[in-house]
Amino acid sequence: MGRRLANRTVNPIGLGVMSLSGAYGNVPDRTDAVRLLNTALDLGYNHLDTASLYGLGHNESLIASAIGHRRDEFFLASKCGMKRSPEGRVIDGSPANIRQTLDESLQRLGVDHIDLYYLHRLDPNVPIEESAGALGELVREGKIGAIGLSEISAATLRLAHAEHPIAAVQNEYSLTSRNCELGILETTKALGIALVAFSPVGRGWLADAVHHADYQQGDLRSLFPRFTSDALRANTVLLTTFRDLAAEHSLTPAQLSLAWLLSQGDHIHAIPGTSSIPHLHENFAAPRTALSTDLLAKLNAHFPPNILSGTRYPPHMQIDIDTEEFA
């Protein structure tokens, strides 16, 4: 059942914790967030993913206060290299910022070691070899266990991996965001690197949870072209058929999405996020075994690459993304 991640065996379905700090609307009540995190560990989730950026430190502090006393029960991943300033989001992959951000994260998390530490975005002003080298120093110092990279291309991965072994790549990957198939999927497999898929249920759309563009204040989806009213209307027919396929196999749409993803390679992990305990149970119950050849063929035919109306990111956010993109 388990899959390798940075020399550890973890459940292939982990938990992205970002949504507990308001990325998709209101910040959940603290009591509810604490209950969800503890329920996740009780269910068997043992891979939790956070970042210094999430809630400007709130997310890491929440993990410390909610489940810090259960630290030996989960594999912990966090990220550096992206922060906010009065002028907006800042990408900074410099060695000095990497080290400073890690020290701040360790303090918030109440630990002296993070199992997997990602560079959140490629800094175009800092050679990736320099960022990877700085992270490698932190591995040697024992402050982090392994290095990850997020939203990067196969070419960037190879450059970084030549500088210091990379344990994981975290890119967006789902039935409706298949950019990974343009290079990073095969490259991670060839190099023995885990591919950790964020937004594996299409930011809720594949879970049949987004039907209109009436978002709460602070919901990231209000920024993304594929979540506008026009795009949602255009994509409705795809979701209708997908919902029927899931029902035919006694699965929910979210479970079918996760099962498809895990079928794409045994080095793949999924980290769906949620602030709902019922959804927490639902995601964890998704099949871990490969789907039938027939069902996979139907899903791939129904969701060919780049089928959705609307892009993943608006132009001002896309410039920070290094991944391969469809024309």
Side-chain angles (χ1 to χ4, degrees):
M1 291 290 289
R3 295 188 178 187
R4 298 298 290 175
L5 179 62
N7 297 318
R8 291 271 293 276
T9 299
V10 299
N11 197 295
I13 296 180
L15 179 64
V17 188
M18 181 178 73
S19 59
L20 298 183
S21 294
Y24 292 107
N26 295 332
V27 178
D29 179 83
R30 186 183 182 282
T31 300
D32 293 338
V34 170
R35 183 181 301 114
L36 183 139
L37 287 169
N38 280 278
T39 300
L41 297 186
D42 293 342
L43 283 173
Y45 283 90
N46 58 7
H47 169 200
L48 272 60
D49 183 272
T50 183
S52 61
L53 182 73
Y54 302 160
L56 303 181
H58 168 270
N59 209 250
E60 291 176 326
S61 297
L62 173 64
I63 288 175
S65 62
I67 53 175
H69 62 292
R70 303 177 66 175
R71 177 64 188 91
D72 60 346
E73 296 180 42
F74 61 94
F75 179 94
L76 176 63
S78 192
K79 309 177 193 70
C80 64
M82 188 159 61
K83 56 188 179 181
R84 296 197 182 279
S85 74
E87 291 74 36
R89 192 167 64 172
V90 175
I91 308 297
D92 187 349
S94 66
N97 184 61
I98 288 172
R99 183 173 290 274
Q100 178 183 342
T101 304
L102 174 62
D103 288 343
E104 292 169 351
S105 291
L106 291 172
Q107 184 174 13
R108 282 191 294 264
L109 288 161
V111 299
D112 59 10
H113 176 88
I114 295 175
D115 299 311
L116 175 60
Y117 202 53
Y118 293 94
L119 184 67
H120 211 152
R121 293 289 187 273
L122 174 67
D123 185 341
N125 299 311
V126 178
I128 187 61
E129 297 92 337
E130 190 173 328
S131 297
L135 289 163
E137 290 181 9
L138 297 173
V139 172
R140 288 187 287 274
E141 292 172 16
K143 290 186 174 182
I144 62 176
I147 300 171
L149 303 174
S150 181
E151 287 283 54
I152 53 97
S153 65
T156 298
L157 172 60
R158 289 188 179 278
L159 290 173
H161 194 60
E163 179 68 27
H164 189 282
I166 303 300
V169 169
Q170 184 178 139
N171 282 10
E172 183 174 0
Y173 191 25
S174 71
L175 267 166
T176 52
S177 294
R178 298 178 64 171
N179 305 66
C180 285
E181 295 169 12
L182 296 174
I184 204 71
L185 176 62
E186 288 305 316
T187 302
T188 49
K189 182 178 180 179
L191 295 176
I193 295 169
L195 178 58
V196 179
F198 75 84
S199 297
V201 292
R203 300 187 186 272
W205 187 79
L206 282 166
D208 198 18
V210 186
H211 303 111
H212 52 74
D214 184 19
Y215 304 109
Q216 292 182 349
Q217 184 176 359
D219 192 320
L220 287 173
R221 289 170 294 197
S222 65
L223 303 173
F224 302 148
R226 66 177 44 172
F227 289 98
T228 62
S229 295
D230 288 347
L232 290 175
R233 280 194 296 270
N235 295 325
T236 296
V237 64
L238 295 169
L239 186 59
T240 300
T241 303
F242 180 64
R243 188 188 304 120
D244 293 342
L245 269 175
E248 286 175 17
H249 292 82
S250 301
L251 298 170
T252 67
Q255 289 171 338
L256 183 55
S257 301
L258 293 168
W260 174 87
L261 182 69
L262 296 180
S263 294
Q264 303 312 298
D266 59 11
H267 67 305
I268 296 175
H269 299 252
I271 48 168
T274 184
S275 57
S276 160
I277 287 181
H279 289 163
L280 191 75
H281 284 265
E282 176 187 354
N283 293 339
F284 202 67
R288 270 66 162 178
T289 55
L291 300 177
S292 70
T293 301
D294 178 65
L295 180 52
L296 285 172
K298 288 180 179 178
L299 290 169
N300 288 326
H302 186 61
F303 285 113
N306 214 26
I307 185 63
L308 283 194
S309 294
T311 56
R312 289 200 299 147
Y313 293 108
H316 75 278
M317 297 179 73
Q318 183 62 45
I319 60 174
D320 296 331
I321 307 301
D322 180 56
T323 59
E324 295 86 356
E325 298 294 326
F326 291 101

